[in-house]
Amino acid sequence: MERVARVTGALAQLGLMLAGTGVVVMTVFIAAQVFWRYVLNDSLQWTEPAAVMIMGWFIFLGAAVGIREGYHLSFDVLLYVLPERARLTLHTVSDVVVAAFGCGMIWYGAQLAENTAGNKVPGLGISGAFDFLPIVVGGVLLVLFSIERIARRAAGLPTLRFGDDHEEA
Amino acid sequence: MELWILFGTFITLLLIGTPVAFCLGAASLATVLYLDLPPVVVFQRLNSGVSVYALMAIPFFIYAGDLMVRGDIARRLVALAGALVGHMRGGLGQVNIMASVMFGGVSGSAAADASAVGGLMVPQMKERGYGVDYAVNITVVASIIALMIPPSHNMIIYSISAGGKISIADLFTAGILPGLLLALSLMVAAWFVARKRGYPTEPFPGLRVLGQLFVSAVPGIILILIIFGGVRSGIFTASESSNIAVVYALLVTLLVYRSLSWVDFLAATKAAVRTTAMVLMVIGCAASFGWLLAFLKVPASLVMALQGFSDNPIVILLLINVVLLILGTFMDMSPLIVITTPIFLPVAQAFGVDPVHFGVILVLNLGIGLCTPPVGAVLFVGCAVGKVPIWTVMRSIWPFYGAAFATLMAVTYVPALSLWLPSVFR
Amino acid sequence: ECEVTLKSSDTHPDGYPTVEAVKFMGDELKAGTGGRMCVEVFHSAQLGEEKDTIEQTQFGVIDLNRVSLGPFNNIIPETQIPSLPYIFRSVEHMHNVMDGPIGEEILAAFEAHDLVGLAFYDGGSRSFYNSQKPIRSMEDLKGMKFRVMQSDLFVDMVSAVGANATPMPYGEVYSSIQTGVIDGAENNWPSYDSSGHFEVAKYYTLDQHLIVPEVLVMSKKTWDGLSAEDQAAVRKAAKDSVPVMRDLWAAREKESEAKVIAAGAEVITDIDKTPFIEAMVPVYEKYVTSDKLKDMVARIQATE
Ligand code: NA
Ligand code: NA
């Protein structure tokens, strides 16, 4: 389990690094757009679609990592009144639901990517499939991290939830 | 039956503690499967729901807020504000509300506003002894002000949904007084809560100290002036001004204060990813859920049920408000404006309600919906920047909901609040 | 109740000519099939923007869709041709082309993309408007910032006349003109009116650079599930709705034109279009690449 956790932990860090790079690149693109528009009095046409696409990447990567690190919002109020065992079972049900939705992201995201692969994204000229790849990759990580949570719980190890103290790294 | 599946799955998952985003997504997926529709549509809506340029202001403001906190801009700004209003009960709560009035022009998006003001104020209020829930409560509800004070993109969506027969200039002007009234009633609520909780007051530190604090806060003040002035004078759009905030915050913390280390920068970036991904994932899944509601004609049926219920204009307006509040609890603002305007506006007009007045009611009403569970983008932003569970916020937010609802009632039944100012400018 | 209810999407609000035309088509279809088939219109982009609803139509989530040609430009090359600037000399010329064999050819091109092209509707003619000054020549346009849709063709067209193309979401245009972020935009009379843009950009230059039809498509999935008889009924009802749509459109244009002029908009009509048309040569070179498309352009130009 520990070894698995090291691998998934590394994956989560990688996902977070990629997503963070995305935020920085997006900042640079829009800053360039502002600079061109107001200082050079010219308009860049590719910055907006590019930044929007990057936003998709870091949202779905970040959302997947969020499952592992437990930073998604949830209503835990009912769970407080339940006994520990029932609570853990319900957490596992939640993780199964998330994993199932992640499978949907992979399968149907791939279908959408395939369907739009022949199109060109306006302003960028790249394949429309890039619009939907983040959903697929995010889905893969979601499934992986959900299974890890279920396995950890089965092994009696703790899993993080929103409102717990996070490791800020 | 399909509605039972949609809402049943959603509420069940919500109660067993599934993350809100996935409650919405899984409920939509289950319903689509039941209806035998191609499930791709759920994931297409999810993707389109987050691929919106205007949403970019949310990550940027959150990022800028985090950089300002880590890079010491925020502390200096709030130290100055604290020195100015510290002798008042809940002074920083009042500052938070005033910040929403000013930033109202910046974003025009309540969620972006909550991320801008909340990212800056909530950590600082926490540090100065205010309850996190109090800070988040105020941030969340005060951000509705952003929708009312121009520029407001939602007013434009309303005008277009109404067939373009309503002057956008009139709508912009009409939102100003209701926005200020909302600010006022929230300030009263903030004062009462602060008094009840016995939040400490600080003695006035004297002009010398105030001057020093001012000087040390100058770069932060310049940032506010750039954003505030830039958007108020209409030079920048919301996404652009939020981007400028990030770039400026980086420049000041790296070059002027030299307060931001590489480690801080990485931490701020990762924090921005975490907070934004969480909020935008909810917004994306809500887009799927909202699509299904539209597909199943839920808003139209609700309105149908309402028509012929009464012929008293006061009752009708109250019912319209209630239905909008219910719908706003589940759906996002702009699709709701698009769907309900063509249905509600003729009803309201038949009872003599001016379309400009109705637009203000609609936007304020749906704005409250953004702050209420189970689905409220602004509420989630607030919880995310405060790092508090929704439940903690819910327990103490009622005085502020009360203030917002009282404002809504005043705006609904006193047309002059909306219509007087446009008539002066016309 | 109808046995088959076709769900139809439109981004325009209720009462708009395209929405009303599809409703009319639904009535015709109901009458033509003895009440077995109906159409239900989801207007005002309730089911999503055009790019999204096109995908939904391809997947068979919705059955009918009224869309502009723009979103197809990067998917179906044939749709680029009627979207070219100054390709049509007048609205009548456009009608003659699209009602004839070339129109049928373009409709047939949708089949390969899981769609069935049913009919072309009018989209009016698009012209430039701005907040700064009356524009009469390309000189006047130089360096001005115009909002365009996020479309390569639109960007290239505006660049070709020497102006600055600024892609921007529709909802942000009003404030951006008001505050000087951009100088203007380009659209047809009804949109110029309904968006309120005439309030902030009063100079409307009637250059009619684009006369682009819009298209009514059906999901191939839905289509294949219909009997040959019902398919014919759908086609007929769609074709029957075209003249209705054109009448509604003409009335709507007149109404909007009168309204914005009464509100103080200044319409500039004394312009020489020749330099504008000449400036489009590189745009045509970029988009009309294959021999097939070149031939189509030649045939359109030869159409009366
Ligand atoms: Na605003
Ligand atoms: Na809500």
Side-chain angles (χ1 to χ4, degrees):
Chain A
M1 199 66 235
E2 284 304 314
R3 202 177 312 151
V4 175
R6 261 207 301 279
V7 174
T8 51
L11 261 181
Q13 278 305 311
L14 181 69
L16 212 51
M17 289 302 279
L18 278 176
T21 312
V23 173
V24 174
V25 173
M26 193 175 88
T27 308
V28 172
F29 282 4
I30 299 299
Q33 176 178 313
V34 169
F35 187 78
W36 255 258
R37 182 175 292 172
Y38 298 101
V39 182
L40 305 182
N41 204 26
D42 196 356
S43 299
L44 290 179
Q45 279 95 26
W46 55 270
T47 44
E48 186 185 316
V52 167
M53 187 172 284
I54 292 169
M55 187 158 71
W57 274 101
F58 82 72
I59 289 167
F60 293 120
L61 285 178
V65 177
I67 286 297
R68 186 172 191 276
E69 297 187 351
Y71 55 70
H72 282 284
L73 284 170
S74 53
F75 284 85
D76 282 350
V77 51
L78 176 75
L79 301 184
Y80 290 131
V81 301
L82 291 177
E84 172 83 8
R85 262 186 79 96
R87 194 162 70 215
L88 291 179
T89 310
L90 290 179
H91 283 340
T92 298
V93 173
S94 285
D95 287 330
V96 171
V97 168
V98 173
F101 193 76
C103 289
M105 284 169 68
I106 301 170
W107 182 257
Y108 296 108
Q111 210 169 312
L112 283 161
E114 192 195 332
N115 186 54
T116 50
N119 310 348
K120 269 192 270 161
V121 178
L124 295 180
I126 59 173
S127 162
F130 283 99
D131 261 337
F132 295 104
L133 274 188
I135 285 213
V136 179
V137 177
V140 171
L141 291 181
L142 265 182
V143 174
L144 222 60
F145 294 149
S146 305
I147 294 175
E148 186 201 2
R149 284 173 75 87
I150 297 170
R152 278 181 76 94
R153 208 171 288 121
L157 295 168
T159 49
L160 291 166
R161 290 192 69 74
F162 187 83
D164 298 347
D165 280 329
H166 295 106
E167 34 177 330
E168 283 275 327
Chain B
M1 184 61 200
E2 48 269 18
L3 284 181
W4 284 105
I5 293 178
L6 185 66
F7 286 101
T9 313
F10 174 69
I11 290 164
T12 310
L13 291 178
L14 207 61
L15 289 177
I16 69 164
T18 308
V20 179
F22 297 93
C23 296
L24 290 161
S28 311
L29 186 57
T31 312
V32 161
L33 288 171
Y34 171 80
L35 289 169
D36 205 18
L37 291 170
V40 274
V41 70
V42 171
F43 302 93
Q44 186 218 38
R45 296 321 297 159
L46 169 61
N47 197 56
S48 328
V50 298
S51 304
V52 179
Y53 178 59
L55 285 179
M56 212 172 283
I58 297 177
F60 282 150
F61 275 132
I62 287 177
Y63 195 20
D66 208 283
L67 287 169
M68 287 167 78
V69 169
R70 283 173 215 267
D72 217 31
I73 300 180
R75 191 192 54 77
R76 293 169 198 238
L77 270 177
V78 178
L80 175 65
L84 281 167
V85 299
H87 54 286
M88 283 164 60
R89 285 270 179 219
L92 282 186
Q94 315 291 353
V95 170
N96 189 324
I97 296 167
M98 282 316 294
S100 285
V101 175
M102 297 199 309
F103 272 91
V106 172
S107 63
S109 145
D113 190 50
S115 37
V117 178
L120 182 84
M121 293 293 297
V122 172
Q124 293 300 312
M125 286 178 73
K126 204 151 102 179
E127 209 176 291
R128 294 176 81 94
Y130 291 82
V132 193
D133 59 331
Y134 177 77
V136 171
N137 288 340
I138 290 179
T139 304
V140 165
V141 184
S143 61
I144 308 174
I145 301 167
L147 303 166
M148 312 299 295
I149 292 180
S152 165
H153 296 306
N154 291 294
M155 295 284 192
I156 297 178
I157 295 174
Y158 168 71
S159 169
I160 293 173
S161 308
K165 293 181 187 67
I166 308 165
S167 158
I168 293 167
D170 281 357
L171 282 170
F172 276 11
T173 331
I176 294 175
L177 284 184
L180 294 178
L181 180 68
L182 178 60
L184 190 69
S185 53
L186 288 177
M187 288 175 120
V188 172
W191 183 80
F192 269 110
V193 174
R195 201 182 63 161
K196 190 159 153 262
R197 292 194 179 184
Y199 283 144
T201 52
E202 300 162 22
F204 188 72
L207 283 176
R208 227 180 79 87
V209 177
L210 201 64
Q212 286 165 350
L213 286 171
F214 180 82
V215 170
S216 96
V218 160
I221 295 172
I222 292 177
L223 174 58
I224 290 178
L225 286 180
I226 292 176
I227 297 179
F228 179 62
V231 175
R232 202 29 78 79
S233 64
I235 301 174
F236 305 127
T237 64
S239 306
E240 288 171 348
S241 63
S242 60
N243 179 272
I244 292 169
V246 174
V247 173
Y248 182 91
L250 273 174
L251 290 179
V252 167
T253 50
L254 288 175
L255 302 177
V256 181
Y257 290 156
R258 296 171 189 272
S259 49
L260 193 75
S261 67
W262 175 244
V263 176
D264 287 335
F265 171 73
L266 277 186
T269 309
K270 285 184 186 173
V273 168
R274 288 191 175 101
T275 312
T276 317
M278 167 169 105
V279 171
L280 289 183
M281 190 68 188
V282 178
I283 291 178
C285 288
S288 287
F289 197 88
W291 183 89
L292 265 167
L293 288 183
F295 189 81
L296 299 172
K297 305 220 146 191
V298 174
S301 330
L302 258 181
V303 174
M304 221 67 109
L306 176 145
Q307 283 170 344
F309 200 85
S310 164
D311 50 8
N312 181 331
I314 293 181
V315 176
I316 284 288
L317 274 179
L318 186 66
L319 284 176
I320 289 182
N321 272 319
V322 170
V323 170
L324 286 172
L325 280 172
I326 295 173
L327 288 170
T329 296
F330 287 99
M331 282 177 78
D332 196 13
M333 193 152 178
S334 45
L336 267 182
I337 293 177
V338 165
I339 295 171
T340 56
T341 299
I343 315 171
F344 272 139
L345 181 58
V347 180
Q349 277 184 292
F351 285 100
V353 179
D354 187 278
V356 170
H357 178 205
F358 187 72
V360 177
I361 298 176
L362 186 76
V363 170
L364 176 55
N365 194 316
L366 296 178
I368 296 174
L370 291 175
C371 306
T372 50
V375 183
V378 172
L379 177 65
F380 297 161
V381 169
C383 294
V385 293
K387 299 191 171 63
V388 274
I390 302 170
W391 181 240
T392 314
V393 174
M394 288 312 302
R395 267 191 306 218
S396 54
I397 203 170
W398 300 100
F400 301 97
Y401 280 168
F405 188 73
T407 311
L408 174 64
M409 287 298 109
V411 169
T412 303
Y413 292 113
V414 186
L417 276 173
S418 310
L419 298 177
W420 177 71
L421 209 52
S423 75
V424 172
F425 275 92
R426 214 174 277 149
Chain C
E1 271 299 296
C2 303
E3 278 170 39
V4 184
T5 301
L6 302 174
K7 290 187 191 289
S8 180
S9 170
D10 200 315
T11 49
H12 290 308
D14 201 15
Y16 204 80
T18 52
V19 174
E20 293 307 308
V22 176
K23 284 187 190 164
F24 174 85
M25 173 197 165
D27 295 341
E28 288 288 288
L29 187 62
K30 197 170 179 182
T33 56
R36 277 186 306 107
M37 296 180 79
C38 301
V39 174
E40 184 176 27
V41 184
F42 290 76
H43 52 78
S44 315
Q46 291 179 49
L47 300 182
E49 293 304 326
E50 290 191 338
K51 176 185 168 290
D52 305 324
T53 57
I54 289 169
E55 285 168 13
Q56 290 169 21
T57 317
Q58 289 172 321
F59 282 116
V61 179
I62 48 184
D63 309 300
L64 288 167
N65 202 352
R66 192 290 316 160
V67 269
S68 29
L69 287 181
F72 290 111
N73 285 350
N74 285 354
I75 310 174
I76 307 173
E78 285 87 347
T79 61
Q80 287 181 353
I81 302 303
S83 313
L84 288 168
Y86 302 106
I87 182 89
F88 299 116
R89 294 184 292 272
S90 64
V91 173
E92 293 71 43
H93 182 213
M94 186 272 282
H95 286 167
N96 292 342
V97 172
M98 301 315 279
D99 292 347
I102 299 174
E104 290 303 321
E105 210 175 311
I106 298 172
L107 284 180
F110 285 88
E111 288 264 349
H113 298 269
D114 297 327
L115 297 168
V116 178
L118 293 177
F120 287 109
Y121 285 163
D122 277 20
S125 53
R126 302 173 74 99
S127 295
F128 287 109
Y129 52 84
N130 79 95
S131 59
Q132 302 298 315
K133 60 187 182 203
I135 290 170
R136 296 200 160 73
S137 65
M138 270 175 51
E139 251 334 280
D140 296 335
L141 273 166
K142 198 131 274 152
M144 290 179 81
K145 278 186 244 176
F146 285 92
R147 178 265 175 181
V148 292
M149 286 187 270
Q150 184 58 262
S151 142
D152 297 335
L153 181 65
F154 274 68
V155 169
D156 290 334
M157 174 192 76
V158 170
S159 308
V161 295
N164 223 319
T166 309
M168 180 181 280
Y170 196 49
E172 279 186 20
V173 178
Y174 185 96
S175 310
S176 299
I177 296 179
Q178 190 176 35
T179 56
V181 173
I182 53 174
D183 299 308
E186 51 83 55
N187 221 316
N188 53 34
W189 284 117
S191 297
Y192 180 50
D193 161 22
S194 69
S195 61
H197 294 172
F198 67 96
E199 291 178 15
V200 286
K202 68 172 212 168
Y203 301 105
Y204 193 88
T205 297
L206 202 65
D207 67 307
Q208 300 185 305
H209 49 264
L210 287 171
I211 304 177
V212 192
E214 305 193 334
V215 66
L216 180 67
V217 295
M218 189 173 201
S219 168
K220 185 85 169 41
K221 277 220 175 82
T222 313
W223 179 260
D224 290 342
L226 298 177
S227 67
E229 184 194 343
D230 286 351
Q231 288 177 348
V234 169
R235 264 207 203 283
K236 180 173 184 306
K239 292 280 183 217
D240 287 350
S241 70
V242 172
V244 175
M245 192 279 159
R246 285 180 183 166
D247 288 345
L248 287 170
W249 181 263
R252 175 72 178 234
E253 268 191 328
K254 281 226 164 56
E255 188 191 317
S256 290
E257 187 180 347
K259 181 184 156 191
V260 298
I261 289 173
E266 188 179 321
V267 185
I268 297 100
T269 51
D270 53 328
I271 36 166
D272 177 16
K273 286 193 206 173
T274 322
F276 288 84
I277 296 172
E278 281 164 1
M280 290 307 141
V281 172
V283 177
Y284 274 57
E285 272 168 8
K286 179 171 171 192
Y287 288 93
V288 189
T289 44
S290 70
D291 288 341
K292 194 178 158 203
L293 296 183
K294 280 179 187 151
D295 174 61
M296 193 181 271
V297 169
R299 280 186 290 148
I300 289 177
Q301 283 163 348
T303 306
E304 280 303 303

